[in-house]
Amino acid sequence: AQKITQTQPGMFVQEKEAVTLDCTYDTSDPSYGLFWYKQPSSGEMIFLIYQGSYDQQNATEGRYSLNFQKARKSANLVISASQLGDSAMYFCAMRGEFFGNEKLTFGTGTRLTIIP
Amino acid sequence: DTGVSQDPRHKITKRGQNVTFRCDPISEHNRLYWYRQTLGQGPEFLTYFQNEAQLEKSRLLSDRFSAERPKGSFSTLEIQRTEQGDSAMYLCASSLPPSRGGSYEQYFGPGTRLTVT
């Protein structure tokens, strides 16, 4: 079974500051993938970034980077230079990488509010 | 690429009624997923299809729930004899696996919000 834990229900961050959203995971799968999704108040889930468990380097996508620490089973999302439009719910998720283990397991999310 | 679409966007129904939701995935995606999201929670997996084959169903999917993807394109999710506990956002997602030139990313639709009164 896979489990995602997000311990920060809400965060308030000043605009233009960097922010780190925490995510820890648990799985018995030897190979897996970790995702971050953003969910604005409109409801759609927007993919941000993906990290494979065997990727040598931490994933980056524009202002988003994933701080992957395999030994600690953590996959924190770092947003640099936060913007007002970053205010949303953020979900960490994982899946196995073998056929037949396709489903995403999500955490409970962190509500991020950017303060002008 | 028109994205994943879902219909209706909102549905209000009375307890005991049947409801059906539709999901149209991105056209070349062969995998389609259904999730349910209740207030304050992350999405929970319900079921998924590869082409027309339903490959996995969650224990959350009681006998009142049925999903189909008859031609490997759009999918429907039906809930029979709705209960107030069925009130949630129902999300559909699609993907094309890396072996087919895609990625592990699942692309989500806007969701159908169900309210059972």
Side-chain angles (χ1 to χ4, degrees):
Chain A
Q2 298 174 337
K3 184 177 181 181
I4 295 285
T5 302
Q6 295 181 255
T7 57
Q8 304 155 309
M11 289 189 69
F12 291 84
V13 173
Q14 204 76 35
E15 189 181 6
K16 299 182 184 178
E17 290 186 350
V19 56
T20 298
L21 304 181
D22 294 341
C23 172
T24 58
Y25 62 91
D26 192 22
T27 182
S28 56
D29 291 334
S31 177
Y32 49 88
L34 295 153
F35 302 77
W36 278 91
Y37 280 85
K38 173 184 178 181
Q39 188 176 42
S41 55
S42 52
E44 75 272 27
M45 298 287 285
I46 301 169
F47 167 77
L48 296 178
I49 197 166
Y50 169 80
Q51 177 86 42
S53 60
Y54 283 101
D55 291 343
Q56 295 296 316
Q57 293 187 323
N58 287 344
T60 60
E61 291 283 351
R63 295 186 299 114
Y64 304 107
S65 60
L66 198 151
N67 184 3
F68 180 47
Q69 298 187 42
K70 195 170 183 178
R72 294 186 175 185
K73 294 190 174 182
S74 74
N76 298 340
L77 176 70
V78 180
I79 306 174
S80 63
S82 58
Q83 303 171 355
L84 295 178
D86 294 333
S87 294
M89 283 291 291
Y90 288 81
F91 291 97
C92 182
M94 74 179 303
R95 55 153 284 169
E97 289 198 357
F98 294 119
F99 179 76
N101 195 7
E102 316 291 338
K103 63 180 180 288
L104 292 178
T105 300
F106 286 85
T108 52
T110 296
R111 181 172 297 281
L112 176 64
T113 302
I114 306 300
I115 305 167
Chain B
D1 181 353
T2 58
V4 179
S5 61
Q6 293 186 245
D7 183 69
R9 295 290 306 276
H10 302 273
K11 178 72 176 178
I12 300 174
T13 190
K14 292 185 177 180
R15 187 178 55 187
Q17 298 294 306
N18 299 344
V19 294
T20 300
F21 309 142
R22 175 177 171 129
C23 171
D24 286 87
I26 294 172
S27 58
E28 66 270 23
H29 286 186
N30 65 339
R31 289 181 179 164
L32 186 148
Y33 311 80
W34 286 98
Y35 294 86
R36 181 172 68 186
Q37 185 178 22
T38 54
L39 206 59
Q41 300 296 317
E44 295 175 295
F45 170 77
L46 292 178
T47 188
Y48 95 95
F49 294 83
Q50 176 162 292
N51 301 314
E52 65 275 9
Q54 188 173 20
L55 296 188
E56 188 175 351
K57 292 170 59 174
S58 164
R59 285 172 289 179
L60 293 174
L61 217 63
S62 74
D63 291 344
R64 297 185 297 106
F65 288 71
S66 62
E68 293 183 341
R69 194 182 183 197
K71 296 183 180 179
S73 56
F74 73 91
S75 175
T76 58
L77 177 68
E78 181 182 16
I79 309 174
Q80 296 182 328
R81 304 180 304 282
T82 52
E83 302 172 356
Q84 287 187 321
D86 297 331
S87 294
M89 175 79 87
Y90 290 83
L91 294 164
C92 176
S94 70
S95 71
L96 184 69
S99 59
R100 295 275 300 266
S103 67
Y104 291 112
E105 176 186 348
Q106 293 183 17
Y107 295 80
F108 281 81
T112 295
R113 183 168 296 282
L114 173 67
T115 302
V116 182
T117 62

